[in-house]
Amino acid sequence: YHELVTQYGVLEPLAVVDLRPQSRVKVEVHFEGKVEVMNIRLDQTVADLKKQLRTVVQLPANNMRLYYIDQDMVKAFGPEEMRFSTRALHSFSIRDGDEIHVEPKTK
């Protein structure tokens, strides 16, 4: 290392790489033809997200179904229902620009 520094000098880094996982993402929330862009925390659970969405969609948390749409995978797999309330959002691999669709539960 010291020989290289002596010969070429101290070089600037080629790239700055941040390998920390994202903690927040910006998603589109779709409900009854309306779209709202929201920042959500990935360390919360599906139940926490439902509580956060109550004010946006005007539905009680126990009366909504959530569907996650990954923009890259939707054609291959379609929407994924966010069924388990204790599942952490980061486990869905949600990224900026993805969508969450909210539908009222039907009896």
Side-chain angles (χ1 to χ4, degrees):
Y1 172 78
H2 296 293
E3 290 176 28
L4 292 173
V5 170
T6 303
Q7 186 172 355
Y8 299 107
V10 178
L11 300 175
E12 294 295 319
L14 296 175
V16 176
V17 178
D18 184 0
L19 298 177
R20 289 178 293 177
Q22 276 188 292
S23 61
R24 298 183 80 78
V25 291
K26 190 177 288 191
V27 296
E28 290 183 357
V29 176
H30 294 253
F31 179 68
E32 293 184 341
K34 300 174 188 168
V35 179
E36 175 134 355
V37 176
M38 293 182 65
N39 280 310
I40 60 170
R41 289 186 358 264
L42 295 177
D43 63 343
Q44 63 184 346
T45 64
V46 172
D48 296 331
L49 177 61
K50 285 183 175 184
K51 290 176 190 173
Q52 183 179 353
L53 291 173
R54 284 186 304 197
T55 57
V56 175
V57 299
Q58 303 300 314
L59 284 175
N62 63 351
N63 195 30
M64 63 175 82
R65 290 184 189 265
L66 302 182
Y67 296 91
Y68 166 61
I69 297 179
D70 181 330
Q71 293 304 309
D72 296 332
M73 303 302 284
V74 69
K75 290 182 181 172
F77 298 108
E80 177 179 0
E81 184 172 0
M82 300 172 89
R83 177 178 312 212
F84 303 104
S85 61
T86 58
R87 185 172 172 186
L89 296 182
H90 65 79
S91 69
F92 289 95
S93 299
I94 301 173
R95 293 174 303 193
D96 286 332
D98 287 345
E99 299 176 4
I100 295 176
H101 289 246
V102 182
E103 293 183 4
K105 282 186 180 177
T106 55
K107 301 286 181 201

